[in-house]
Amino acid sequence: MSLLLLALAIEALAGYPQWLFRLVRHPVVWIGALIDGLDRVLNRESWSDRRRRFAGEAALLVILILAALPAWYLQSLLLFWAWPAGLLLLALVSSSFFAQRSLDRHVAAVAEGLEESGLVGGRAAVSKIVGRDPESLDEAAVSRAAIESLAENLSDGVVAPALYCALAGLPGLAAYKAANTADSMLGHRTPRHQAFGWASARFDDVVNLPASRLSVLWILVAALVLPGASPSGALRAAFRDARHHRSPNAGWPEAAFAGALGLRLAGPRRYGDQVVDDAWMGDGRAEATATDIRRAVWLYRLALVVQFSAAALVLALTLPA
C-alpha cells in the first residue's frame, strides 16, 4: 500500500514528464507495439473465426505474461537490492501507469476551450479525449462528452490501476494496463477483430468490474463534500441506470457523475458513420455547459482525495503495532 500512495502522489504532482516520454516513450507505447505485432502475425483473415478466436486468447496470454514478468523482476530487484531507495524508484515507475493529472488537464482544457474560443475551441479540445466526430457536437454534447470521458477514465485510468497496484504491486499494474490496452486496440466489433479480439474485450470487462463499482463509492463520498452535489442522486442513478449502458462497467461512474451533478449523460452518440443508441445515465439536464465540466473536475479531484485517504487508512490499519 505504501507503493500505491507514493505512486499516486508522484503522478498527481508531476504526471509523466514530456522529456522522459521523448527519451524512452511510455510503457503503454511498448505494450501497444507488442499488441500490434501479435495482431499482424496471429490475426490472419484466411483463418476461420474459431481459429482466430483461439489465436486471440493465446495473444492475450502472451501480452499479460510479457507485461507482468519484467515488472515482477524489476520490483524484486529494486526492493531486494536497493531498499529503501528502491521503493521510491519503484514508485516512480509505477506512477507512469496512472492518469490522474493528465485526465484532469485534458478535461479542464475542454471547459477552457468553450469559455475562451466558444464551440470551435471546445470541439478542438474534446477531440483529444473522445472518439466521436467533434464537428457533429454542439456545446451541450461537447460538455457531456468531456464529463463522460472524465467519469469513465476515473474508473479505468485511476481506480482500477490503484486496485491492482494495491493487490499485486507493479506486476499487477503492468498486467492491468496491458489488458486495458489490448481491449482498446483489439476489442472492437469489426470484421477484423470480432473473433481475434473477443478474449481481450471480455477479459477487460472482468478486470474492470470491481473498480467501476468502487469508483461509485469514491464519487458518492466526494459528492458529500462538493457544494450542490447530490450523493443520493449519484447512488440512485448508478443502481438504476448503469445496467442499461452498453458497457458493463462504464455506466457505473457515468451514472454516478450524472446523478451527483444533476445531469443526463451518455444517450445516443455518433462515432464516425456509426450511431450508438445508448441509454441515458441520470435524469437531470442534458444541456451541460463549461460550468458543469468544471464542477465535474472538482468532483473528480475530490474522488481522488477520497481514494488516497482510503489507501492511507488501510496502510495505517495494517501497520504492525
Side-chain angles (χ1 to χ4, degrees), residues 62-313:
V62 170
I63 292 163
L64 295 174
I65 291 173
L66 291 183
L69 270 183
W72 172 82
Y73 178 76
L74 179 62
Q75 177 170 286
S76 301
L77 189 68
L78 289 175
L79 295 184
F80 184 79
W81 293 106
W83 180 266
L87 177 62
L88 181 58
L89 291 172
L90 187 62
L92 282 168
V93 175
S94 300
S95 69
S96 66
F97 289 96
F98 292 95
Q100 300 171 111
R101 188 179 179 90
S102 62
L103 182 57
D104 184 299
R105 184 175 67 252
H106 282 99
V107 174
V110 180
E112 293 170 7
L114 287 170
E115 291 165 348
E116 296 174 4
S117 305
L119 185 56
V120 173
R123 284 173 172 171
V126 84
S127 68
K128 299 177 181 178
I129 58 174
V130 300
R132 64 198 77 169
D133 178 14
E135 298 304 316
S136 67
L137 306 177
D138 59 15
E139 181 178 350
V142 166
S143 301
R144 290 197 306 271
I147 298 170
E148 289 158 15
S149 180
L150 181 66
E152 182 176 353
N153 284 287
L154 167 63
S155 177
D156 61 21
V158 181
V159 178
L163 177 62
Y164 290 105
C165 181
L167 292 174
L170 182 60
L173 262 176
Y176 168 74
K177 206 62 182 180
N180 192 242
T181 307
D183 176 60
S184 298
M185 296 180 66
L186 306 177
H188 304 289
R189 293 182 179 179
T190 60
R192 175 166 178 78
H193 291 121
Q194 182 78 37
F196 186 77
W198 178 88
S200 294
R202 297 291 77 77
F203 188 75
D204 185 73
D205 288 342
V206 171
V207 297
N208 275 300
L209 190 147
S212 64
R213 278 65 173 173
L214 186 60
S215 66
V216 173
L217 177 59
W218 301 158
I219 295 164
L220 188 152
V221 177
L224 289 169
V225 182
L226 183 67
S230 173
S232 61
L235 191 63
R236 182 171 59 253
F239 280 92
R240 182 192 62 211
D241 300 333
R243 66 180 183 273
H244 300 301
H245 199 283
R246 63 189 172 96
S247 165
N249 296 314
W252 289 88
E254 284 188 23
F257 259 74
L261 299 172
L263 297 172
R264 273 195 300 165
L265 300 176
R269 288 163 287 176
R270 177 180 292 277
Y271 294 87
D273 295 330
Q274 180 184 7
V275 175
V276 176
D277 190 19
D278 210 348
W280 288 101
M281 301 289 108
D283 54 8
R285 293 178 291 108
E287 297 301 313
T289 65
T291 300
D292 292 308
I293 298 175
R294 294 202 176 277
R295 292 188 70 236
V297 170
W298 274 109
L299 183 65
Y300 165 79
R301 291 169 179 168
L302 290 169
L304 298 185
V305 173
V306 172
Q307 175 173 261
F308 190 88
S309 302
L313 178 61

Side-chain angles (χ1 to χ4, degrees), residues 41-62:
V41 171
L42 296 179
N43 189 11
R44 302 186 181 182
E45 295 182 4
S46 60
W47 288 354
S48 66
D49 282 352
R50 182 179 180 181
R51 191 174 182 184
R52 291 172 81 176
R53 182 161 164 172
F54 177 79
E57 293 167 352
L60 176 62
L61 184 60
V62 170

